[in-house]
Amino acid sequence: LIDLIWPHSQHNDDPILKDKALVVAPMVDQSDLPFRLLCRKYGSNLCFTPMFHARMFNEKVSYRNAFWDETKRFPKEDRPVVVQFCGSDVDQLLRAAKVVEPHCDAVDINCGCPQGIARRGNYGAFLLEQGDLLVNIVQTLVQNLDVPVTVKVRILPSGLEPSLALYRRLIDAGASMLTVHGRTRHQKGHDTGAADWGAIKRVVEEFGHELPIIANGGIANMDDVQKCLEFTGADGVMSSEAV
């Protein structure tokens, strides 16, 4: 997946940004096609779609049509692109992923959303605390899709060491890339706090030789992008609100 960004990079003359992924995050009501194209114009070389709810994508025509144009799909100008789904029902996730599989470059599982709606729906960051279920989801998608399966994660509330153990399981299940948000699910709203780049650096040290690790969190401008890449050694940086 990372190999696909190189022809699209506008920063190959920069020793820090060269060959790095500059990723637009999956933002609900934001990361749709016009916004992704605008971001690519100004230097992004990998974009995520907004988070799609797998069950609603499958069952509600109006919901699917709002996000997914069955006739245009993803134009060549919008590649490489990763489609992100949320959910905990493996059959629903696989069914939704099969729809987009022929037209995208990877499918991502959202394990980062910390909001109450994610708790009620049993998805997002709350999946991280159900390791067996999450590993089964990753394994099932990897075994049944022809595109890479990636996972966007946070740090577990129980700490970095349990997080590393879980990431090891996700990699063994076949995940092709991890995007690591250096915060726990409790860090949101007024309690967001600073992102833990040290934790991301540790993930890179443990697993960066096996698959790409994308850093997420604490990015307000391009200076932060460069500082984050230098500090963590990650293969790229994902940004959301600052974009």
Side-chain angles (χ1 to χ4, degrees):
L1 181 60
I2 291 294
D3 291 349
L4 295 175
I5 73 170
W6 292 341
H8 303 275
S9 179
Q10 299 180 21
H11 303 283
N12 285 333
D13 57 343
D14 187 303
I16 300 173
L17 301 180
K18 179 178 170 59
D19 297 338
K20 298 294 187 178
L22 302 178
V23 189
V24 175
M27 295 176 280
V28 174
D29 295 329
Q30 188 67 57
S31 302
D32 50 13
L33 177 60
F35 185 75
R36 295 196 302 269
L37 293 177
L38 184 65
C39 290
R40 292 180 191 277
K41 178 180 178 181
Y42 289 102
S44 171
N45 51 24
L46 179 62
C47 292
F48 279 56
T49 66
M51 179 190 75
F52 299 159
H53 190 291
R55 180 181 57 78
M56 294 178 66
F57 188 88
N58 291 329
E59 297 178 357
K60 294 183 180 294
V61 174
S62 59
Y63 179 90
R64 183 189 295 198
N65 289 344
F67 296 108
W68 177 251
D69 188 323
E70 294 286 359
T71 59
K72 295 181 180 178
R73 301 182 176 91
F74 297 109
K76 66 181 186 301
E77 296 83 6
D78 188 34
R79 306 293 289 272
V81 63
V82 180
V83 179
Q84 187 186 75
F85 287 106
C86 70
S88 56
D89 184 313
V90 65
D91 294 328
Q92 293 278 16
L93 284 162
L94 179 59
R95 178 182 167 193
K98 293 297 285 185
V99 174
V100 304
E101 173 188 24
H103 314 290
C104 67
D105 299 287
V107 168
D108 186 75
I109 303 167
N110 181 311
C111 294
C113 181
Q115 304 303 326
I117 191 171
R119 179 193 291 274
R120 294 190 295 274
N122 196 34
Y123 61 80
F126 300 92
L127 273 183
L128 296 173
E129 294 163 64
Q130 303 171 68
D132 291 345
L133 173 60
L134 178 56
V135 168
N136 181 55
I137 289 171
V138 173
Q139 284 179 330
T140 300
L141 266 60
V142 168
Q143 291 168 2
N144 290 279
L145 296 178
D146 292 326
V147 295
V149 175
T150 68
V151 190
K152 187 176 187 296
V153 300
R154 284 187 176 235
I155 306 300
L156 282 166
S158 52
L160 182 56
E161 293 304 322
S163 301
L164 293 171
L166 176 62
Y167 304 161
R168 172 77 271 164
R169 295 182 67 192
L170 299 180
I171 295 167
D172 291 344
S176 293
M177 183 176 79
L178 295 181
T179 300
V180 182
H181 188 157
R183 295 183 173 98
T184 73
R185 64 174 173 83
H186 297 303
Q187 291 179 267
K188 60 181 180 178
H190 295 300
D191 298 319
T192 296
D196 188 348
W197 288 357
I200 299 173
K201 181 179 181 179
R202 179 75 184 283
V203 177
V204 173
E205 291 171 346
E206 291 284 336
F207 306 122
H209 63 289
E210 297 183 56
L211 78 173
I213 306 294
I214 305 298
N216 180 219
I219 304 298
N221 51 50
M222 186 56 76
D223 288 341
D224 289 335
V225 171
Q226 293 177 316
K227 291 175 184 176
C228 181
L229 289 171
E230 286 188 296
F231 183 84
T232 64
D235 295 284
V237 166
M238 174 183 283
S239 183
S240 55
E241 294 177 1
V243 176

